Amino acid sequence: MKILALDSSALIASVALCEDGKLLSEYTLNNKNTHSETLLPMIESMLSHFSMTLSDIDLFAASAGPGSFTGVRIGAATLKGLAFGSEKPCVEVSTLEALACNLLGFEGLICPVMNARRSQVYTALFRSDGKTLTRLMDDSAMAISELDELLSKYEERVMLCGDGYDITVQAFNKTEIKYTPERLRHQSAFSVACVALELYGKGEHKSDTAFKVNYLRPSQAERELMNKNKETNED
């Protein structure tokens, strides 16, 4: 099975091509360009090196959030455009679970953290035995101080990953952190593909039109609209 996976949920853009769980190619850019400008050229270049077209792809996968609202939307739109009309299955992958998959080879607690602004992070918690991940907490949005308090109760060192790594390490004062190499902190489309393959095996896939994103909380525009409606109702 050939899988085309992508992740544009933060500043980094990553695409990967895999076959039967084996990585054929991964293309990652951290040049701060708009993902709408980079994803398709990256995919086209990658496929051309293997003399493949989209018709050769058996499964499409993308990180469905949480993360940057714009980045997640662009990733979902790109996936829908690539898979449109192909009748090929698509898989929604949690950005946080894919990040945790980066650290699968390590044992212990793994906590992905995505910068949610206002001293908050999108986060989840997993335990790894070196081969498999066990989810301990659903994808959530919370204050970094609250996460510090929560993790400290486990009384063991924790590995962090995600674009919220630096701000979380700086803010923690109760939880002991285990160092994570730079390369493993960021999104990886190969990790998205690995999670997608597992979900596909469980029957968790859908059509491109049914693919949905998970922001975990309303966007700024939605929050402003809700506040405006609330003020109107109070008047």
Tab-separated table of all heavy atoms in Angstrom, residues 173-235:
chain	number	residue	atom	x	y	z
A	173	ASN	N	8.295	24.205	36.092
A	173	ASN	CA	9.149	24.258	37.273
A	173	ASN	C	8.880	23.107	38.231
A	173	ASN	O	9.520	22.995	39.264
A	173	ASN	CB	8.993	25.601	38.008
A	173	ASN	CG	7.536	25.907	38.340
A	173	ASN	OD1	6.799	25.046	38.788
A	173	ASN	ND2	7.140	27.155	38.105
A	174	LYS	N	7.932	22.238	37.873
A	174	LYS	CA	7.616	21.087	38.729
A	174	LYS	C	7.936	19.753	38.057
A	174	LYS	O	8.236	18.763	38.732
A	174	LYS	CB	6.134	21.106	39.113
A	174	LYS	CG	5.719	22.288	39.965
A	174	LYS	CD	4.252	22.190	40.346
A	174	LYS	CE	3.838	23.352	41.232
A	174	LYS	NZ	2.398	23.260	41.615
A	175	THR	N	7.868	19.713	36.735
A	175	THR	CA	8.048	18.464	35.993
A	175	THR	C	9.487	18.345	35.497
A	175	THR	O	10.041	19.295	34.937
A	175	THR	CB	7.096	18.410	34.784
A	175	THR	OG1	5.748	18.565	35.239
A	175	THR	CG2	7.235	17.086	34.046
A	176	GLU	N	10.071	17.173	35.655
A	176	GLU	CA	11.432	16.935	35.171
A	176	GLU	C	11.367	16.530	33.702
A	176	GLU	O	10.651	15.590	33.333
A	176	GLU	CB	12.108	15.832	35.982
A	176	GLU	CG	13.578	15.635	35.611
A	176	GLU	CD	14.274	14.589	36.465
A	176	GLU	OE1	13.603	14.008	37.356
A	176	GLU	OE2	15.473	14.341	36.229
A	177	ILE	N	12.130	17.235	32.874
A	177	ILE	CA	12.096	17.024	31.431
A	177	ILE	C	13.297	16.211	30.965
A	177	ILE	O	14.431	16.461	31.371
A	177	ILE	CB	12.079	18.376	30.684
A	177	ILE	CG1	10.890	19.232	31.140
A	177	ILE	CG2	12.031	18.154	29.177
A	177	ILE	CD1	9.563	18.582	30.928
A	178	LYS	N	13.041	15.255	30.094
A	178	LYS	CA	14.104	14.491	29.441
A	178	LYS	C	14.379	15.146	28.072
A	178	LYS	O	13.444	15.392	27.307
A	178	LYS	CB	13.673	13.033	29.250
A	178	LYS	CG	14.777	12.113	28.737
A	178	LYS	CD	14.213	10.725	28.420
A	178	LYS	CE	13.616	10.066	29.645
A	178	LYS	NZ	13.164	8.677	29.350
A	179	TYR	N	15.618	15.419	27.775
A	179	TYR	CA	15.981	16.135	26.544
A	179	TYR	C	15.499	15.402	25.295
A	179	TYR	O	15.637	14.181	25.171
A	179	TYR	CB	17.491	16.315	26.467
A	179	TYR	CG	17.969	16.942	25.179
A	179	TYR	CD1	17.853	18.313	24.959
A	179	TYR	CD2	18.538	16.157	24.179
A	179	TYR	CE1	18.291	18.888	23.783
A	179	TYR	CE2	18.977	16.719	22.986
A	179	TYR	CZ	18.853	18.087	22.793
A	179	TYR	OH	19.274	18.653	21.613
A	180	THR	N	14.927	16.171	24.356
A	180	THR	CA	14.496	15.639	23.062
A	180	THR	C	15.347	16.249	21.957
A	180	THR	O	15.426	17.479	21.848
A	180	THR	CB	13.022	15.971	22.784
A	180	THR	OG1	12.208	15.423	23.815
A	180	THR	CG2	12.583	15.386	21.445
A	181	PRO	N	16.003	15.460	21.114
A	181	PRO	CA	16.807	15.999	20.017
A	181	PRO	C	15.966	16.890	19.097
A	181	PRO	O	14.776	16.629	18.879
A	181	PRO	CB	17.282	14.740	19.279
A	181	PRO	CG	17.249	13.670	20.324
A	181	PRO	CD	16.072	13.986	21.182
A	182	GLU	N	16.583	17.920	18.571
A	182	GLU	CA	15.901	18.889	17.718
A	182	GLU	C	15.135	18.219	16.584
A	182	GLU	O	13.986	18.566	16.292
A	182	GLU	CB	16.943	19.870	17.148
A	182	GLU	CG	16.425	20.816	16.077
A	182	GLU	CD	15.573	21.954	16.629
A	182	GLU	OE1	15.656	22.208	17.842
A	182	GLU	OE2	14.843	22.569	15.836
A	183	ARG	N	15.742	17.252	15.937
A	183	ARG	CA	15.124	16.611	14.767
A	183	ARG	C	13.807	15.924	15.112
A	183	ARG	O	12.923	15.791	14.254
A	183	ARG	CB	16.106	15.574	14.166
A	183	ARG	CG	15.540	14.729	13.019
A	183	ARG	CD	15.189	15.601	11.823
A	183	ARG	NE	14.643	14.814	10.731
A	183	ARG	CZ	13.353	14.531	10.594
A	183	ARG	NH1	12.487	14.975	11.475
A	183	ARG	NH2	12.922	13.830	9.565
A	184	LEU	N	13.650	15.499	16.350
A	184	LEU	CA	12.464	14.741	16.736
A	184	LEU	C	11.371	15.609	17.353
A	184	LEU	O	10.319	15.094	17.741
A	184	LEU	CB	12.855	13.636	17.723
A	184	LEU	CG	13.886	12.620	17.219
A	184	LEU	CD1	14.202	11.614	18.308
A	184	LEU	CD2	13.371	11.914	15.967
A	185	ARG	N	11.608	16.896	17.437
A	185	ARG	CA	10.627	17.781	18.075
A	185	ARG	C	9.526	18.227	17.122
A	185	ARG	O	8.452	18.622	17.553
A	185	ARG	CB	11.319	19.029	18.628
A	185	ARG	CG	12.339	18.769	19.702
A	185	ARG	CD	12.998	20.072	20.120
A	185	ARG	NE	14.206	19.835	20.905
A	185	ARG	CZ	15.033	20.783	21.300
A	185	ARG	NH1	14.782	22.053	20.976
A	185	ARG	NH2	16.112	20.487	21.994
A	186	HIS	N	9.808	18.197	15.834
A	186	HIS	CA	8.904	18.808	14.868
A	186	HIS	C	8.040	17.790	14.136
A	186	HIS	O	8.316	16.587	14.144
A	186	HIS	CB	9.720	19.621	13.860
A	186	HIS	CG	10.625	20.611	14.509
A	186	HIS	ND1	10.154	21.708	15.186
A	186	HIS	CD2	11.983	20.661	14.615
A	186	HIS	CE1	11.178	22.403	15.676
A	186	HIS	NE2	12.298	21.788	15.342
A	187	GLN	N	7.010	18.298	13.467
A	187	GLN	CA	6.103	17.407	12.738
A	187	GLN	C	6.855	16.614	11.675
A	187	GLN	O	7.775	17.115	11.045
A	187	GLN	CB	4.988	18.194	12.041
A	187	GLN	CG	4.319	19.243	12.842
A	187	GLN	CD	4.797	20.588	12.356
A	187	GLN	OE1	5.784	21.132	12.850
A	187	GLN	NE2	4.116	21.144	11.376
A	188	SER	N	6.408	15.396	11.498
A	188	SER	CA	6.970	14.515	10.483
A	188	SER	C	5.829	13.845	9.732
A	188	SER	O	4.996	13.163	10.331
A	188	SER	CB	7.861	13.444	11.130
A	188	SER	OG	8.102	12.380	10.235
A	189	ALA	N	5.802	14.033	8.423
A	189	ALA	CA	4.756	13.398	7.619
A	189	ALA	C	4.893	11.875	7.646
A	189	ALA	O	3.903	11.157	7.469
A	189	ALA	CB	4.822	13.904	6.180
A	190	PHE	N	6.112	11.380	7.865
A	190	PHE	CA	6.282	9.929	7.974
A	190	PHE	C	5.555	9.406	9.205
A	190	PHE	O	4.918	8.357	9.173
A	190	PHE	CB	7.759	9.558	8.032
A	190	PHE	CG	8.002	8.072	8.193
A	190	PHE	CD1	7.441	7.160	7.313
A	190	PHE	CD2	8.772	7.590	9.240
A	190	PHE	CE1	7.655	5.793	7.460
A	190	PHE	CE2	8.993	6.233	9.395
A	190	PHE	CZ	8.428	5.328	8.504
A	191	SER	N	5.616	10.152	10.306
A	191	SER	CA	4.881	9.764	11.509
A	191	SER	C	3.380	9.792	11.249
A	191	SER	O	2.633	8.930	11.733
A	191	SER	CB	5.231	10.684	12.674
A	191	SER	OG	6.555	10.463	13.113
A	192	VAL	N	2.932	10.784	10.482
A	192	VAL	CA	1.519	10.844	10.096
A	192	VAL	C	1.140	9.583	9.319
A	192	VAL	O	0.097	8.972	9.559
A	192	VAL	CB	1.238	12.099	9.240
A	192	VAL	CG1	-0.187	12.069	8.679
A	192	VAL	CG2	1.443	13.363	10.059
A	193	ALA	N	2.005	9.169	8.396
A	193	ALA	CA	1.748	7.975	7.599
A	193	ALA	C	1.704	6.719	8.461
A	193	ALA	O	0.866	5.838	8.252
A	193	ALA	CB	2.812	7.832	6.511
A	194	CYS	N	2.602	6.635	9.445
A	194	CYS	CA	2.642	5.458	10.327
A	194	CYS	C	1.359	5.337	11.139
A	194	CYS	O	0.781	4.248	11.275
A	194	CYS	CB	3.843	5.540	11.261
A	194	CYS	SG	5.439	5.336	10.441
A	195	VAL	N	0.897	6.461	11.692
A	195	VAL	CA	-0.353	6.453	12.453
A	195	VAL	C	-1.526	6.141	11.531
A	195	VAL	O	-2.433	5.377	11.882
A	195	VAL	CB	-0.571	7.798	13.166
A	195	VAL	CG1	-1.934	7.828	13.865
A	195	VAL	CG2	0.544	8.061	14.168
A	196	ALA	N	-1.506	6.712	10.327
A	196	ALA	CA	-2.585	6.491	9.367
A	196	ALA	C	-2.695	5.026	8.974
A	196	ALA	O	-3.803	4.480	8.850
A	196	ALA	CB	-2.360	7.347	8.125
A	197	LEU	N	-1.562	4.370	8.783
A	197	LEU	CA	-1.576	2.956	8.406
A	197	LEU	C	-2.214	2.116	9.502
A	197	LEU	O	-3.001	1.201	9.223
A	197	LEU	CB	-0.149	2.478	8.132
A	197	LEU	CG	-0.003	1.025	7.653
A	197	LEU	CD1	-0.756	0.806	6.339
A	197	LEU	CD2	1.479	0.670	7.479
A	198	GLU	N	-1.898	2.444	10.754
A	198	GLU	CA	-2.490	1.715	11.879
A	198	GLU	C	-3.997	1.957	11.950
A	198	GLU	O	-4.774	1.014	12.155
A	198	GLU	CB	-1.824	2.153	13.177
A	198	GLU	CG	-2.345	1.424	14.406
A	198	GLU	CD	-1.634	1.836	15.684
A	198	GLU	OE1	-0.637	2.575	15.601
A	198	GLU	OE2	-2.087	1.424	16.773
A	199	LEU	N	-4.413	3.221	11.760
A	199	LEU	CA	-5.839	3.535	11.805
A	199	LEU	C	-6.589	2.884	10.646
A	199	LEU	O	-7.716	2.395	10.815
A	199	LEU	CB	-6.029	5.058	11.755
A	199	LEU	CG	-5.545	5.834	12.983
A	199	LEU	CD1	-5.663	7.336	12.736
A	199	LEU	CD2	-6.340	5.440	14.220
A	200	TYR	N	-5.955	2.866	9.492
A	200	TYR	CA	-6.582	2.228	8.326
A	200	TYR	C	-6.822	0.745	8.599
A	200	TYR	O	-7.863	0.198	8.235
A	200	TYR	CB	-5.691	2.401	7.099
A	200	TYR	CG	-6.236	1.722	5.861
A	200	TYR	CD1	-7.230	2.331	5.101
A	200	TYR	CD2	-5.759	0.471	5.460
A	200	TYR	CE1	-7.751	1.709	3.969
A	200	TYR	CE2	-6.274	-0.157	4.335
A	200	TYR	CZ	-7.267	0.456	3.592
A	200	TYR	OH	-7.785	-0.175	2.481
A	201	GLY	N	-5.861	0.111	9.261
A	201	GLY	CA	-6.011	-1.308	9.591
A	201	GLY	C	-7.166	-1.567	10.535
A	201	GLY	O	-7.717	-2.678	10.585
A	202	LYS	N	-7.557	-0.526	11.299
A	202	LYS	CA	-8.689	-0.652	12.225
A	202	LYS	C	-10.000	-0.225	11.570
A	202	LYS	O	-11.042	-0.172	12.228
A	202	LYS	CB	-8.438	0.208	13.463
A	202	LYS	CG	-7.229	-0.210	14.283
A	202	LYS	CD	-7.022	0.760	15.449
A	202	LYS	CE	-5.804	0.375	16.281
A	202	LYS	NZ	-5.574	1.356	17.394
A	203	GLY	N	-9.928	0.119	10.284
A	203	GLY	CA	-11.126	0.539	9.568
A	203	GLY	C	-11.467	2.001	9.748
A	203	GLY	O	-12.561	2.442	9.378
A	204	GLU	N	-10.538	2.796	10.313
A	204	GLU	CA	-10.804	4.209	10.576
A	204	GLU	C	-10.324	5.066	9.405
A	204	GLU	O	-9.270	5.700	9.451
A	204	GLU	CB	-10.138	4.635	11.885
A	204	GLU	CG	-10.655	3.887	13.102
A	204	GLU	CD	-10.023	4.375	14.392
A	204	GLU	OE1	-9.712	5.578	14.484
A	204	GLU	OE2	-9.833	3.546	15.302
A	205	HIS	N	-11.105	5.055	8.344
A	205	HIS	CA	-10.798	5.878	7.173
A	205	HIS	C	-12.109	6.359	6.570
A	205	HIS	O	-13.185	5.875	6.920
A	205	HIS	CB	-9.989	5.078	6.148
A	205	HIS	CG	-10.630	3.782	5.739
A	205	HIS	ND1	-11.587	3.708	4.754
A	205	HIS	CD2	-10.471	2.519	6.223
A	205	HIS	CE1	-11.977	2.437	4.615
A	205	HIS	NE2	-11.322	1.701	5.499
A	206	LYS	N	-12.022	7.323	5.673
A	206	LYS	CA	-13.229	7.913	5.092
A	206	LYS	C	-12.920	8.492	3.723
A	206	LYS	O	-11.767	8.441	3.254
A	206	LYS	CB	-13.781	8.987	6.014
A	206	LYS	CG	-12.778	10.072	6.377
A	206	LYS	CD	-13.326	11.025	7.434
A	206	LYS	CE	-13.641	10.313	8.731
A	206	LYS	NZ	-14.110	11.241	9.784
A	207	SER	N	-13.907	9.063	3.087
A	207	SER	CA	-13.705	9.693	1.789
A	207	SER	C	-13.106	11.081	1.970
A	207	SER	O	-13.093	11.625	3.078
A	207	SER	CB	-15.045	9.815	1.050
A	207	SER	OG	-15.884	10.734	1.731
A	208	ASP	N	-12.632	11.653	0.883
A	208	ASP	CA	-12.043	12.998	0.969
A	208	ASP	C	-13.074	14.029	1.398
A	208	ASP	O	-12.759	14.964	2.138
A	208	ASP	CB	-11.415	13.387	-0.367
A	208	ASP	CG	-12.416	13.352	-1.509
A	208	ASP	OD1	-12.755	12.244	-1.966
A	208	ASP	OD2	-12.859	14.424	-1.955
A	209	THR	N	-14.320	13.866	0.980
A	209	THR	CA	-15.354	14.843	1.328
A	209	THR	C	-15.726	14.773	2.810
A	209	THR	O	-16.215	15.750	3.383
A	209	THR	CB	-16.619	14.626	0.485
A	209	THR	OG1	-17.064	13.261	0.646
A	209	THR	CG2	-16.337	14.881	-0.983
A	210	ALA	N	-15.485	13.618	3.447
A	210	ALA	CA	-15.835	13.442	4.861
A	210	ALA	C	-14.682	13.809	5.798
A	210	ALA	O	-14.857	13.811	7.019
A	210	ALA	CB	-16.270	12.007	5.119
A	211	PHE	N	-13.519	14.099	5.238
A	211	PHE	CA	-12.351	14.456	6.050
A	211	PHE	C	-12.635	15.730	6.834
A	211	PHE	O	-13.051	16.742	6.285
A	211	PHE	CB	-11.130	14.651	5.150
A	211	PHE	CG	-9.835	14.847	5.892
A	211	PHE	CD1	-8.975	13.784	6.092
A	211	PHE	CD2	-9.474	16.098	6.379
A	211	PHE	CE1	-7.768	13.960	6.765
A	211	PHE	CE2	-8.284	16.289	7.051
A	211	PHE	CZ	-7.432	15.214	7.249
A	212	LYS	N	-12.410	15.702	8.144
A	212	LYS	CA	-12.675	16.861	8.996
A	212	LYS	C	-11.450	17.223	9.829
A	212	LYS	O	-10.605	16.378	10.102
A	212	LYS	CB	-13.861	16.585	9.932
A	212	LYS	CG	-15.191	16.387	9.219
A	212	LYS	CD	-16.305	16.141	10.220
A	212	LYS	CE	-17.646	15.960	9.521
A	212	LYS	NZ	-18.744	15.705	10.493
A	213	VAL	N	-11.391	18.468	10.245
A	213	VAL	CA	-10.287	18.937	11.084
A	213	VAL	C	-10.761	19.062	12.531
A	213	VAL	O	-11.960	19.114	12.804
A	213	VAL	CB	-9.739	20.288	10.582
A	213	VAL	CG1	-9.168	20.142	9.189
A	213	VAL	CG2	-10.836	21.354	10.613
A	214	ASN	N	-9.796	19.125	13.441
A	214	ASN	CA	-10.097	19.242	14.865
A	214	ASN	C	-9.251	20.353	15.454
A	214	ASN	O	-8.075	20.169	15.744
A	214	ASN	CB	-9.811	17.916	15.580
A	214	ASN	CG	-10.042	18.017	17.077
A	214	ASN	OD1	-10.798	18.868	17.540
A	214	ASN	ND2	-9.392	17.141	17.827
A	215	TYR	N	-9.856	21.530	15.636
A	215	TYR	CA	-9.113	22.675	16.153
A	215	TYR	C	-9.035	22.680	17.676
A	215	TYR	O	-8.233	23.416	18.252
A	215	TYR	CB	-9.779	23.973	15.690
A	215	TYR	CG	-9.773	24.184	14.199
A	215	TYR	CD1	-10.951	24.479	13.512
A	215	TYR	CD2	-8.596	24.098	13.460
A	215	TYR	CE1	-10.949	24.689	12.135
A	215	TYR	CE2	-8.587	24.307	12.096
A	215	TYR	CZ	-9.770	24.602	11.432
A	215	TYR	OH	-9.779	24.809	10.080
A	216	LEU	N	-9.897	21.939	18.338
A	216	LEU	CA	-10.007	21.861	19.795
A	216	LEU	C	-10.652	23.093	20.432
A	216	LEU	O	-11.257	23.009	21.490
A	216	LEU	CB	-8.642	21.636	20.469
A	216	LEU	CG	-8.087	20.218	20.427
A	216	LEU	CD1	-6.803	20.153	21.255
A	216	LEU	CD2	-9.085	19.204	20.981
A	217	ARG	N	-10.511	24.251	19.795
A	217	ARG	CA	-11.151	25.449	20.335
A	217	ARG	C	-11.501	26.370	19.173
A	217	ARG	O	-10.945	26.233	18.076
A	217	ARG	CB	-10.237	26.156	21.324
A	217	ARG	CG	-9.004	26.788	20.711
A	217	ARG	CD	-8.134	27.451	21.766
A	217	ARG	NE	-7.086	28.249	21.152
A	217	ARG	CZ	-6.133	28.869	21.841
A	217	ARG	NH1	-6.100	28.771	23.154
A	217	ARG	NH2	-5.218	29.590	21.221
A	218	PRO	N	-12.427	27.292	19.377
A	218	PRO	CA	-12.833	28.199	18.293
A	218	PRO	C	-11.681	29.083	17.843
A	218	PRO	O	-10.794	29.418	18.630
A	218	PRO	CB	-13.960	29.033	18.929
A	218	PRO	CG	-14.409	28.263	20.114
A	218	PRO	CD	-13.187	27.534	20.605
A	219	SER	N	-11.707	29.478	16.585
A	219	SER	CA	-10.716	30.418	16.075
A	219	SER	C	-10.976	31.807	16.654
A	219	SER	O	-12.017	32.062	17.267
A	219	SER	CB	-10.786	30.488	14.544
A	219	SER	OG	-12.023	31.058	14.144
A	220	GLN	N	-10.035	32.719	16.453
A	220	GLN	CA	-10.196	34.085	16.959
A	220	GLN	C	-11.441	34.731	16.364
A	220	GLN	O	-12.195	35.414	17.075
A	220	GLN	CB	-8.969	34.925	16.632
A	220	GLN	CG	-9.064	36.365	17.153
A	220	GLN	CD	-7.800	37.156	16.888
A	220	GLN	OE1	-6.779	36.611	16.516
A	220	GLN	NE2	-7.883	38.465	17.068
A	221	ALA	N	-11.666	34.521	15.072
A	221	ALA	CA	-12.838	35.106	14.419
A	221	ALA	C	-14.125	34.542	15.030
A	221	ALA	O	-15.091	35.286	15.253
A	221	ALA	CB	-12.801	34.817	12.919
A	222	GLU	N	-14.122	33.249	15.323
A	222	GLU	CA	-15.306	32.636	15.930
A	222	GLU	C	-15.513	33.145	17.349
A	222	GLU	O	-16.657	33.389	17.774
A	222	GLU	CB	-15.156	31.115	15.916
A	222	GLU	CG	-15.240	30.499	14.529
A	222	GLU	CD	-14.874	29.032	14.521
A	222	GLU	OE1	-13.953	28.634	15.275
A	222	GLU	OE2	-15.502	28.274	13.762
A	223	ARG	N	-14.410	33.333	18.086
A	223	ARG	CA	-14.528	33.849	19.454
A	223	ARG	C	-15.075	35.276	19.447
A	223	ARG	O	-15.915	35.634	20.275
A	223	ARG	CB	-13.166	33.803	20.166
A	223	ARG	CG	-12.665	32.408	20.468
A	223	ARG	CD	-11.538	32.441	21.498
A	223	ARG	NE	-10.406	33.230	21.037
A	223	ARG	CZ	-9.385	32.737	20.339
A	223	ARG	NH1	-9.371	31.453	20.005
A	223	ARG	NH2	-8.370	33.508	19.982
A	224	GLU	N	-14.597	36.086	18.503
A	224	GLU	CA	-15.074	37.463	18.417
A	224	GLU	C	-16.550	37.500	18.054
A	224	GLU	O	-17.312	38.331	18.579
A	224	GLU	CB	-14.254	38.227	17.373
A	224	GLU	CG	-12.809	38.470	17.801
A	224	GLU	CD	-11.976	39.119	16.716
A	224	GLU	OE1	-12.499	39.248	15.578
A	224	GLU	OE2	-10.827	39.496	16.989
A	225	LEU	N	-16.971	36.587	17.175
A	225	LEU	CA	-18.379	36.538	16.794
A	225	LEU	C	-19.244	36.117	17.981
A	225	LEU	O	-20.317	36.694	18.209
A	225	LEU	CB	-18.575	35.562	15.626
A	225	LEU	CG	-20.015	35.370	15.139
A	225	LEU	CD1	-20.589	36.712	14.663
A	225	LEU	CD2	-20.062	34.343	14.013
A	226	MET	N	-18.774	35.130	18.744
A	226	MET	CA	-19.526	34.679	19.908
A	226	MET	C	-19.649	35.801	20.940
A	226	MET	O	-20.706	35.993	21.538
A	226	MET	CB	-18.852	33.445	20.528
A	226	MET	CG	-19.045	32.171	19.711
A	226	MET	SD	-18.470	30.666	20.558
A	226	MET	CE	-16.693	30.930	20.544
A	227	ASN	N	-18.552	36.551	21.152
A	227	ASN	CA	-18.586	37.661	22.094
A	227	ASN	C	-19.544	38.761	21.619
A	227	ASN	O	-20.283	39.348	22.431
A	227	ASN	CB	-17.178	38.242	22.283
A	227	ASN	CG	-16.267	37.310	23.045
A	227	ASN	OD1	-16.725	36.482	23.828
A	227	ASN	ND2	-14.966	37.447	22.826
A	228	LYS	N	-19.546	39.003	20.307
A	228	LYS	CA	-20.425	40.016	19.750
A	228	LYS	C	-21.885	39.597	19.915
A	228	LYS	O	-22.732	40.428	20.296
A	228	LYS	CB	-20.100	40.220	18.266
A	228	LYS	CG	-20.936	41.314	17.601
A	228	LYS	CD	-20.521	41.504	16.152
A	228	LYS	CE	-21.337	42.594	15.494
A	228	LYS	NZ	-20.953	42.793	14.068
A	229	ASN	N	-22.169	38.330	19.644
A	229	ASN	CA	-23.537	37.834	19.796
A	229	ASN	C	-23.973	37.882	21.254
A	229	ASN	O	-25.129	38.170	21.560
A	229	ASN	CB	-23.636	36.406	19.271
A	229	ASN	CG	-23.499	36.324	17.763
A	229	ASN	OD1	-23.746	37.309	17.070
A	229	ASN	ND2	-23.134	35.167	17.244
A	230	LYS	N	-23.020	37.588	22.162
A	230	LYS	CA	-23.328	37.617	23.585
A	230	LYS	C	-23.681	39.029	24.026
A	230	LYS	O	-24.649	39.255	24.777
A	230	LYS	CB	-22.136	37.104	24.382
A	230	LYS	CG	-22.370	37.057	25.885
A	230	LYS	CD	-21.147	36.513	26.616
A	230	LYS	CE	-21.380	36.502	28.127
A	230	LYS	NZ	-20.171	35.981	28.850
A	231	GLU	N	-22.888	40.014	23.558
A	231	GLU	CA	-23.146	41.411	23.903
A	231	GLU	C	-24.484	41.861	23.345
A	231	GLU	O	-25.230	42.609	23.983
A	231	GLU	CB	-22.020	42.293	23.358
A	231	GLU	CG	-20.678	42.052	24.049
A	231	GLU	CD	-19.552	42.817	23.374
A	231	GLU	OE1	-19.813	43.466	22.343
A	231	GLU	OE2	-18.415	42.760	23.859
A	232	THR	N	-24.815	41.403	22.126
A	232	THR	CA	-26.096	41.766	21.504
A	232	THR	C	-27.263	41.201	22.298
A	232	THR	O	-28.264	41.883	22.542
A	232	THR	CB	-26.155	41.234	20.062
A	232	THR	OG1	-25.081	41.794	19.305
A	232	THR	CG2	-27.476	41.603	19.400
A	233	ASN	N	-27.126	39.956	22.744
A	233	ASN	CA	-28.191	39.313	23.516
A	233	ASN	C	-28.376	39.978	24.868
A	233	ASN	O	-29.492	40.094	25.378
A	233	ASN	CB	-27.880	37.828	23.715
A	233	ASN	CG	-27.935	37.038	22.425
A	233	ASN	OD1	-28.659	37.430	21.505
A	233	ASN	ND2	-27.201	35.941	22.348
A	234	GLU	N	-27.258	40.448	25.452
A	234	GLU	CA	-27.348	41.114	26.744
A	234	GLU	C	-28.014	42.479	26.639
A	234	GLU	O	-28.692	42.940	27.563
A	234	GLU	CB	-25.936	41.265	27.345
A	234	GLU	CG	-25.326	39.946	27.800
A	234	GLU	CD	-23.907	40.113	28.298
A	234	GLU	OE1	-23.335	41.203	28.090
A	234	GLU	OE2	-23.361	39.152	28.884
A	235	ASP	N	-27.829	43.113	25.467
A	235	ASP	CA	-28.475	44.416	25.241
A	235	ASP	C	-29.993	44.233	25.107
A	235	ASP	O	-30.773	45.066	25.505
A	235	ASP	CB	-27.922	45.092	23.993
A	235	ASP	CG	-26.476	45.508	24.184
A	235	ASP	OD1	-26.053	45.600	25.353
A	235	ASP	OD2	-25.783	45.735	23.179
